Every structure is written in structure tokens, then in C-alpha cells.
Amino acid sequence: MRIDVITIFPEYLAPLHVSLVGKAVARGVLDVHVHDLRRWTHDRHATVDDTPYGGGPGMVMKTGPWGEALDEVIADGYETGARLPRLVVPTPSGRPFTQEHAAELSAQPWLIFIPARYEGIDRRVVDEYATRLPVHEISIGDYVLAGGEAPVLVIVEAVARLLPGVLGNAESHRDDSFAPGPMASLLEGPVYTKPPEWRGRTVPDVLLSGHHGKIARWRRDEALRRTAAHRPDLIERCDPAAFDRKDRELLAALGWRPGPGGHYVKNEKGEDGAA
């Protein structure tokens, strides 16, 4: 996979060369290019922004540098044999980023990221390249950052770890929170390692039992408990047919019941079902 990032802060993207992503780059699984947007400016101040039409606070990133940068980066990619890229635009107004979205992007041969600063990029840039390329406008959460570089790091790591050869254990991502499947909405439960006791806190006995069936059941129960506690909306989205008898018993104990459409809903009377 080829990844290009165009930014006014290339140094912000240094983490792309460390940890798992960095190892993937070193092994040639990822081909990462970080470009300084100011290289495509033509004044002595390397200006990339201007005041917004219609007034208002802040500055808006100009069309000129972005257009020249994207044209050159795309042409360079085509010259090296890359196929059609997808343009990824980190923005608070974009589609919420999910594991499903990460999997979708991981199947692509080439991603170009354009992280904005200030009040954002002149809309005409995205509209122009949307006529040539698939565009993904992505939000990593309901909050606003100083710029789009941090979301780039988040998205690239989520995508890269799904590529063959990136994780040491190819099975590692299959049990991730939000992994694809009918139970895709469940969060992972807690994990433990040696020593078996630390500061008076012990590892759950079942994990030391060697009984794989009981361990699997415990992990599933803990995933249900954690999801119900922290992300109840995800329980509501699970396919009810994926819940087995033990799941249904635990959900009932936690105050959940099948709703009119079959999906589980929180019992308004309380966790124990009492009024």
C-alpha cells in the first residue's frame, strides 16, 4: 500500500516511522511519502491561507497550493505504477471512523491524506478532486483538534495493522473490539499477564484453569459486561441471533431485554428488572 500525506507540519508525521507502522515501512509493506504543502507556494512567506469569504474568525487554506500539490503527488504515483488513489480528508464533519471503515481502506492500494489546519481547506479543493477520485471525509470523534495530522496518525495505524505482514500474529486483529461479524459491536474484555498476584490483586481464577471452554465463556461474558457498561448503544446494534443462551441470561441479569424489533434494549425499570 502507498500512503501520501500532504501537510504544513511534516515533522508531525514522524510517528509513521516508528512501532508497527514503521516496521511495515521498513519491510516494504507500506510505502509512505510525507510532503510539505509549502513547497507548492510561490511567495516569500510560503502562504497557504487567507481570510474567509463572508467574514468570520480564522483563516482558510487556499486552493492554489493544494491543487498543485495534489496534481504532482497523483502524477508521481501514477508514474510509479500505483493504481487509482483514494483521497482521505480528516474533518470533524466527516463520516465517523470505525473498524469497518479501516478494513475498507486497508483493501485499497493507495491513500492520499490532506490534513487541514486553521478553519479548513477551501471546499472547492475537495469538490474538484471528488470528480476524479473516491473521497473519504472522516471524523475520528465529536471534538475539534488544532489540525488533521493527529487523525491521520490514528487512521493510518488502524488501517496499517490490518495489512498482511504488519502484525506479528496474523490472527491478532480478529478478536479486536469492533472486529467484523455479527458481534461486531462488542468491546474487548480485560486482559492479564504474569505475575498472578500484584499488590494484592489477583488474576481471575478461570484464566489460570487451563479450561479453554470456560476461558472463552468468561471472555465473552466480560465483553458483554464491558460493552453494556461503556457502550450500551453497541449492544442495541448487535444481531440478536448471534447471542447464545448464556449471552441472553447475562444480558437479562444486566437489565436488557429483546425489543419489539428483536434487538436488545435496556430495561427502563433498572438493571435487576425491578421497578
Side-chain angles (χ1 to χ4, degrees):
M1 171 185 275
R2 172 170 172 148
I3 291 177
D4 287 272
V5 186
I6 305 171
T7 172
I8 62 171
F9 292 116
E11 63 274 20
Y12 205 119
L13 283 302
L16 292 179
H17 294 280
V18 300
S19 190
L20 286 174
V21 176
K23 290 178 181 178
V25 172
R27 291 198 298 268
V29 177
L30 279 176
D31 181 20
V32 174
H33 303 261
V34 177
H35 312 272
D36 187 344
L37 178 66
R38 295 190 191 277
R39 185 161 71 84
W40 288 278
T41 59
H42 303 286
D43 65 297
R44 65 176 182 173
H45 300 294
T47 305
V48 296
D49 61 307
D50 208 334
T51 54
Y53 278 125
M59 304 289 278
V60 175
M61 301 191 85
K62 299 168 64 175
T63 55
W66 279 111
E68 291 186 32
L70 282 166
D71 287 348
E72 186 171 323
V73 168
I74 292 169
D76 175 70
Y78 284 143
E79 287 177 6
T80 58
R83 287 176 286 164
L84 182 70
R86 296 198 172 213
L87 189 64
V88 182
V89 187
T91 169
S93 60
R95 167 185 168 188
F97 188 56
T98 64
Q99 188 69 13
E100 181 182 6
H101 204 171
E104 178 187 349
L105 293 177
S106 73
Q108 307 307 318
W110 183 12
L111 304 176
I112 300 176
F113 291 83
I114 55 169
R117 284 272 158 173
Y118 317 121
E119 295 300 309
I121 301 170
D122 186 308
R123 182 66 202 183
R124 290 171 293 180
V125 174
V126 175
D127 291 344
E128 166 68 16
Y129 287 90
T131 66
R132 313 182 199 177
L133 312 171
V135 173
H136 297 257
E137 296 186 69
I138 297 176
S139 168
I140 64 166
D142 294 339
Y143 46 85
V144 178
L145 300 172
E149 287 78 12
V152 168
L153 295 175
V154 169
I155 296 166
V156 169
E157 182 157 321
V159 168
R161 66 188 297 278
L162 298 178
L163 299 175
V166 172
L167 293 180
N169 183 341
E171 302 296 314
S172 294
H173 64 76
R174 296 195 179 181
D175 292 327
D176 289 342
S177 297
F178 315 112
M183 301 291 280
S185 295
L186 292 188
L187 306 179
E188 279 191 278
V191 294
Y192 301 85
T193 188
K194 300 178 182 69
E197 182 176 343
W198 177 76
R199 295 186 180 179
R201 299 177 183 273
T202 59
V203 174
D205 290 340
V206 65
L207 297 180
L208 307 176
S209 69
H211 193 299
H212 298 298
K214 289 182 178 179
I215 291 171
R217 182 70 253 172
W218 179 87
R219 286 176 171 160
R220 188 173 174 101
D221 288 349
E222 290 303 306
L224 282 166
R225 292 179 189 277
R226 179 172 284 188
T227 307
H230 299 304
R231 292 292 305 275
D233 59 303
L234 301 182
I235 294 288
E236 296 171 356
R237 299 213 305 258
C238 280
D239 180 357
F243 292 128
D244 62 22
R245 180 176 59 84
K246 292 288 187 180
D247 294 335
R248 294 192 294 271
E249 289 175 357
L250 177 58
L251 287 170
L254 294 173
W256 291 81
R257 59 179 175 78
H263 286 261
Y264 273 73
V265 295
K266 186 70 172 175
N267 190 336
E268 296 180 358
K269 293 182 179 180
E271 288 198 357
D272 59 1

